[in-house]
Amino acid sequence: MTPIVCIIDDDLVSQFATRYTIEQSNRNCKVISYDDAEEALTSFTDNLQSQKSLPNILLLDLVMPEMDGWAFLEKIEKLLGNDCHIEVYILSAFQNSKDRIRAKEHPMVRGYFDKPLSKINLDSIFETRTV
């Protein structure tokens, strides 16, 4: 089964760079992206209700207007409960040690990477996949 990679990032340049890195890596995956966490949450909810696939890998920006990455994670946890099999990786342009610590302690977060996503970091995401 082809893995689905979801990018949630309000910065369209970052979103494009992340997608480009994935596409250039020749990984066999489907890439979807959202520039708004609320829109992504609505899509995930719709997919659950219609029994469509959710992403296997989520590349999530933290700093976004309206709903930030942490609020999105809270809502997705409530939506999926213990049945969540999405591997979440934080992508951030900021060197915030509090966010790094919080990410390490969050049960859904598998890693924290600086933007732009490098090929080396992308390789590590795919090599450690459990889903």
Side-chain angles (χ1 to χ4, degrees), residues 95-111:
Q95 300 288 330
N96 186 333
S97 59
K98 287 181 185 176
D99 281 337
R100 287 183 186 273
I101 291 166
R102 189 172 174 188
K104 272 188 178 177
E105 295 171 351
H106 197 288
M108 288 180 68
V109 177
R110 297 290 186 96

Side-chain angles (χ1 to χ4, degrees), residues 7-55:
I7 304 165
I8 303 176
D9 194 334
D10 65 314
D11 179 350
L12 296 181
V13 173
S14 269
Q15 192 184 108
F16 175 82
T18 302
R19 178 183 285 272
Y20 183 78
T21 299
I22 295 167
E23 289 170 353
Q24 291 301 304
S25 74
N26 293 318
R27 297 282 176 183
N28 182 25
C29 63
K30 177 182 178 186
V31 180
I32 57 174
S33 55
Y34 301 93
D35 56 8
D36 178 283
E38 193 73 52
E39 179 187 356
L41 186 63
T42 299
S43 176
F44 284 25
T45 304
D46 291 347
N47 284 359
L48 275 175
Q49 290 172 348
S50 61
Q51 298 185 338
K52 292 182 182 174
S53 296
L54 290 174

Side-chain angles (χ1 to χ4, degrees), residues 2 5 8-10 20 30 40 42 46 55 57 59 61 70-71 76-77 80 89 91 94 99 105-107 113 123-124:
T2 303
V5 178
I8 303 176
D9 194 334
D10 65 314
Y20 183 78
K30 177 182 178 186
T42 299
D46 291 347
I57 298 170
L59 304 174
D61 183 29
W70 294 120
I76 209 75
E77 268 185 308
L80 300 175
Y89 295 88
L91 294 182
F94 301 102
D99 281 337
E105 295 171 351
H106 197 288
F113 300 111
D123 288 346
S124 74

